[in-house]
Amino acid sequence: MAGSARKKPTKPKSQKPSPARKGDQRLDALVARFSLDAVERRMVELAWELERSLAAADKMRALGGLTVERLRAIVGVEVDAALSPRRALRRHALVVAGAGGLVAATDPVRLAPGLAARLDGAAEPDGLWLGCVRLLPGAHGDIPARIAPVLAGAGLNGAAATLLTLDGCPRRETLELAAGLARAAGRGVLVVDGELLMDAADPALLLACARREADCEGDVLVVCEAARLGERYRA
């Protein structure tokens, strides 16, 4: 009597992370980067869901939209404190609430520009506004000779977050500076054109978003024509 054929053991199939799980991982990274608490994380999750789900957005619109008072009902009274301009959500341009300053109950709340794309895994820092350019780490170029001593004295290589302003640095030299920094520091450089940014409805918000994107990527942020921004460069 012939014996029964033995079946070869099948190897377990490796499961790829689901898109939802990848999104959770990107949200986890954002939470860790900006030290968000549970309430702040939940608020970002809700705003992100409304950006990407038509059904959820339609349901929320029927209730009057995602407002401060709606968030209070969903998340709790801690929402008001979380939306302070001094707290992470607004200080790092993760959400936009009202017209600035302290929020009111009926103020709408939404993700800040560019954050939904980052959470989707399709971050595009140089797509924030016209004139934004991102140079990859190790880009070809040298720091302009007349600027090099200033940067050497500032000790930017390997330094913590630093604000350095340069007067009389036109666009061409700004791009040369950015390429030189990308090469010397081995970091990406996000260049923002302050003059073009002034055509936006809220230049300060977009500048804050650029700073957030640079933070997330580990980039250097360079703003040319910064004088056109006035005090907005402090965003």
Side-chain angles (χ1 to χ4, degrees):
M1 182 176 178
S4 58
R6 293 183 178 179
K7 294 182 179 180
K8 293 182 179 180
T10 57
K11 296 181 179 179
K13 295 182 179 179
S14 58
Q15 294 184 353
K16 296 181 179 179
S18 67
R21 180 57 192 149
K22 288 182 179 179
D24 288 344
Q25 291 172 349
R26 289 187 287 267
L27 181 57
D28 289 343
L30 190 79
V31 167
R33 178 66 187 86
F34 297 112
S35 302
L36 305 184
D37 62 24
V39 170
E40 291 164 333
R41 179 193 175 108
R42 180 60 180 143
M43 291 166 68
V44 171
E45 282 180 323
L46 285 168
W48 182 27
E49 182 183 11
L50 297 182
E51 288 273 358
R52 293 298 178 253
S53 169
L54 179 59
D58 283 342
K59 183 178 179 180
M60 188 61 70
R61 273 192 290 269
L63 296 172
L66 187 64
T67 60
V68 174
E69 58 188 353
R70 183 61 55 192
L71 276 170
R72 288 175 191 156
I74 298 172
V75 181
V77 295
E78 300 90 347
V79 162
D80 292 77
L83 288 175
S84 166
R86 297 179 181 274
R87 290 281 294 272
L89 289 180
R90 294 175 64 194
R91 184 160 52 88
H92 296 299
L94 304 180
V95 303
V96 180
L102 298 176
V103 295
T106 56
D107 283 340
V109 180
R110 61 182 175 85
L111 287 186
L115 188 60
R118 174 162 295 281
L119 292 173
D120 289 341
E124 194 175 357
D126 50 358
L128 284 171
W129 194 255
L130 297 174
C132 291
V133 178
R134 183 172 186 260
L135 285 78
L136 297 176
H140 297 292
D142 295 310
I143 295 173
R146 74 186 185 94
I147 298 176
V150 178
L151 296 183
L156 291 184
N157 287 343
T162 303
L163 174 63
L164 175 67
T165 60
L166 296 174
D167 292 326
C169 187
R171 285 187 180 88
R172 180 174 177 177
E173 285 194 338
T174 298
L175 291 173
E176 291 175 357
L177 166 64
L181 284 173
R183 178 183 177 185
R187 297 167 62 187
V189 179
L190 180 60
V191 181
V192 176
D193 190 311
E195 183 177 7
L196 293 177
L197 200 64
M198 284 302 295
D199 290 333
D202 192 342
L205 171 61
L206 288 181
L207 189 57
C209 291
R211 178 169 52 80
R212 178 203 67 221
E213 291 297 293
D215 279 347
C216 290
E217 296 289 342
D219 288 353
V220 177
L221 177 62
V222 174
V223 182
C224 69
E225 304 296 333
R228 295 296 300 272
L229 293 168
E231 290 298 304
R232 295 178 183 87
Y233 78 89
R234 299 180 184 274

